[in-house]
Amino acid sequence: MAQNFYIRKNSELPILQMKVVNDGRNDYKKIFEGLENAAITFSMINVESGRYKVFNKQALIIPVEDDACGDVEYYIGYKFSKSETNMAGTFKAEFKIDFFNDGCSLIVPIYEDLYVNVSDSFVNSRIVC
């Protein structure tokens, strides 16, 4: 099963977000502490041509406070530019997290593929004065 994200051609929003899941098996919240000292990059490759549209661009860490418990959850994300969404198509995407504390890297999503679907827009977003 794959995860799908949809965005319109020549659009910058919405921001792609993936929730960082704490598995709780080993060290509780260790992944959250590791994110504080990590470099996160985003890459996206065209499924048809095999060419990168985005390669190792800086990604975002988005903290979200849970109102019920007061805990903080983390999302990793990416904000697209218009040049990155100027072509309609399907792209396979991934985040790479390089942890500086232990020198390890993690490619996410782990269990399923992430696809970014850029769809044609029926509105011309170019403003002419």
Side-chain angles (χ1 to χ4, degrees):
M1 187 169 159
Q3 296 180 26
N4 286 290
F5 176 79
Y6 298 92
I7 189 167
R8 291 274 186 192
K9 186 176 173 181
N10 296 318
S11 181
E12 296 177 352
L13 295 173
I15 294 174
L16 171 62
Q17 295 182 8
M18 288 187 63
K19 184 176 181 180
V20 177
V21 178
N22 182 16
D23 67 4
R25 285 184 252 175
N26 297 324
D27 294 331
Y28 187 68
K29 295 189 179 182
K30 182 180 178 183
I31 186 73
F32 300 147
E33 294 169 3
L35 285 175
E36 293 176 357
N37 194 18
I40 304 172
T41 56
F42 176 77
S43 296
M44 183 172 82
I45 191 167
N46 188 314
V47 172
E48 291 180 12
S49 69
R51 293 184 177 171
Y52 280 96
K53 187 69 175 176
V54 179
F55 184 71
N56 283 344
K57 293 268 187 106
Q58 183 177 355
L60 307 168
I61 299 176
I62 306 164
V64 177
E65 197 169 319
D66 185 11
D67 293 334
C69 300
D71 288 341
V72 176
E73 296 180 333
Y74 290 93
Y75 288 78
I76 54 176
Y78 186 75
K79 185 175 187 313
F80 292 95
S81 68
K82 287 186 180 183
S83 65
E84 294 166 345
T85 59
N86 64 357
M87 183 175 65
T90 302
F91 301 86
K92 186 175 178 185
E94 66 184 22
F95 291 92
K96 182 179 180 188
I97 306 172
D98 292 314
F99 296 101
F100 297 134
N101 291 344
D102 54 9
C104 294
S105 295
L106 179 66
I107 305 292
V108 290
I110 296 172
Y111 297 115
E112 51 194 25
D113 292 328
L114 170 63
Y115 290 100
V116 174
N117 299 287
V118 179
S119 58
D120 273 326
S121 179
F122 58 88
V123 176
N124 187 359
S125 61
R126 183 178 233 167
I127 299 173
V128 179
C129 296

